[in-house]
């Protein structure tokens, strides 16, 4: 009886972990030795897309130290599809204009960034006064990328001039790959420094698109953003 009980418990644990990881297609992180990112050092992530008709969510995972010298980070990005190589530049913001770090943690700040199609995304969808923008890794538009983006519109309660108001924001979380097959992302820093100090790790997460889970995560992030905005204004 004890063996049967242990067997059932083991299988329950396996099922729970399987359910938690069911949406993950790939998750790979590269640690930067000594928190100094040499201009020739690359971080890669390889994975396979089996269903090109489905939507996915891409997230760039970054960890920086509070000793990082800049507000933003530029990255070169190569994207190898089953039959083509694309190259573009990405920009991410690690701190707000006042120098307050985004992300969780103390000396090391962890933050994940949705990929956005072009620089116009941020300027045309985030105009709330005093609002700390959520994180996106924005393609420069100078190169090319193979993705098709479709927005997820989420309502957001915010205080404007002392009164509660409802706004909507457009989240670039729905991505389609051009075709099924193997993909490879390669990143390297584009900050024109031989050894860029203050970046601890970089990675990529690819998930199957899960709208309800994303809305919950966005709503949680929005509450944290509103709290940060209130703290900055006080």
């Amino acid at each position: 009886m004890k063996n049967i009980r242990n067997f059932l418990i083991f299988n329950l644990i396996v099922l729970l972990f399987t359910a938690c990881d069911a949406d993950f297609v790939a998750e790979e992180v590269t640690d930067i030795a000594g928190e100094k990112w040499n201009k020739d050092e690359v971080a890669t992530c390889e994975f396979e897309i089996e269903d090109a008709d489905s939507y996915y969510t891409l997230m760039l995972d970054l960890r920086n130290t509070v000793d990082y010298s800049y507000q933003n980070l530029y990255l070169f990005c190569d994207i190898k599809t089953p039959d083509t190589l694309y190259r573009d530049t990405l920009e991410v913001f690690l701190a707000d204009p006042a120098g307050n770090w985004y992300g969780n943690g103390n000396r090391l700040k962890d933050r994940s960034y949705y990929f956005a199609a072009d620089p116009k995304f941020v300027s045309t969808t985030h105009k709330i006064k005093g609002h700390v923008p959520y994180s996106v890794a924005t393609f420069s538009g100078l190169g090319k990328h193979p993705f098709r983006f479709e927005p997820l519109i989420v309502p957001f309660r915010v205080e404007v001039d002392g009164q509660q108001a409802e706004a909507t924001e457009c989240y670039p979380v729905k991505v389609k790959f051009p075709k099924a097959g193997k993909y490879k992302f390669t990143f390297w820093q584009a900050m024109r420094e031989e050894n860029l100090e203050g970046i601890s790790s970089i990675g990529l997460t690819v998930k199957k698109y899960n709208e309800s889970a994303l809305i919950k995560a966005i709503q949680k992030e929005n509450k944290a953003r509103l709290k940060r905005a209130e703290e900055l204004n006080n």
Side-chain angles (χ1 to χ4, degrees), residues 41-93:
E41 182 181 358
V42 300
T44 62
C45 181
E46 298 183 66
F47 56 93
E48 186 162 357
I49 295 296
E50 297 179 355
D51 180 11
D53 293 326
S54 296
Y55 286 104
Y56 297 84
T57 298
L58 303 177
M59 301 195 78
L60 181 74
D61 304 312
L62 274 174
R63 173 179 283 183
N64 67 282
T65 76
V66 296
D67 299 320
Y68 184 73
S69 300
Y70 306 99
Q71 179 194 3
N72 61 346
L73 170 66
Y74 285 100
L75 299 167
F76 293 128
C77 177
D78 278 359
I79 305 166
K80 191 171 189 274
T81 71
D83 52 14
T84 310
L85 178 65
Y86 296 85
R87 175 166 292 181
D88 209 333
T89 303
L90 290 165
E91 181 182 15
V92 295
F93 284 89

Side-chain angles (χ1 to χ4, degrees), residues 70-200:
Y70 306 99
Q71 179 194 3
N72 61 346
L73 170 66
Y74 285 100
L75 299 167
F76 293 128
C77 177
D78 278 359
I79 305 166
K80 191 171 189 274
T81 71
D83 52 14
T84 310
L85 178 65
Y86 296 85
R87 175 166 292 181
D88 209 333
T89 303
L90 290 165
E91 181 182 15
V92 295
F93 284 89
L94 306 183
D96 66 22
N100 300 290
W101 295 107
Y102 296 138
N104 302 314
N106 295 318
R107 192 184 80 86
L108 291 174
K109 297 292 185 180
D110 290 296
R111 186 74 171 174
S112 292
Y113 298 79
Y114 299 117
F115 285 79
D118 58 68
K120 296 178 182 178
F121 175 85
V122 176
S123 62
T124 58
T125 60
H126 300 84
K127 296 182 178 179
I128 302 172
K129 184 179 179 181
H131 195 49
V132 179
Y134 73 90
S135 297
V136 290
T138 310
F139 284 109
S140 69
L142 299 177
K144 294 182 179 180
H145 61 78
F147 309 115
R148 193 178 91 200
F149 290 85
E150 290 194 15
L152 172 65
I153 307 299
V154 180
F156 175 60
R157 298 291 296 174
V158 65
E159 187 173 303
V160 179
D161 297 329
Q163 295 185 349
Q164 288 291 319
E166 185 166 297
T168 58
E169 290 189 311
C170 169
Y171 287 80
V173 294
K174 298 173 68 174
V175 179
K176 269 195 173 181
F177 287 84
K179 64 189 300 183
K182 293 183 178 180
Y183 287 78
K184 181 179 180 180
F185 279 67
T186 303
F187 303 100
W188 64 104
Q189 60 100 344
M191 296 297 287
R192 298 182 180 180
E193 289 195 17
E194 185 75 20
N195 292 291
L196 181 64
E197 296 192 27
I199 302 298
S200 178

Side-chain angles (χ1 to χ4, degrees), residues 193-209:
E193 289 195 17
E194 185 75 20
N195 292 291
L196 181 64
E197 296 192 27
I199 302 298
S200 178
S201 66
I202 179 172
L204 181 72
T205 298
V206 184
K207 292 183 179 181
K208 295 178 181 178
Y209 177 70

Side-chain angles (χ1 to χ4, degrees), residues 216-229:
K216 288 180 181 178
I218 288 167
Q219 289 173 339
K220 182 178 179 181
E221 171 71 6
N222 282 340
K223 289 180 180 179
R225 290 162 59 193
L226 185 57
K227 182 179 179 181
R228 287 198 299 269

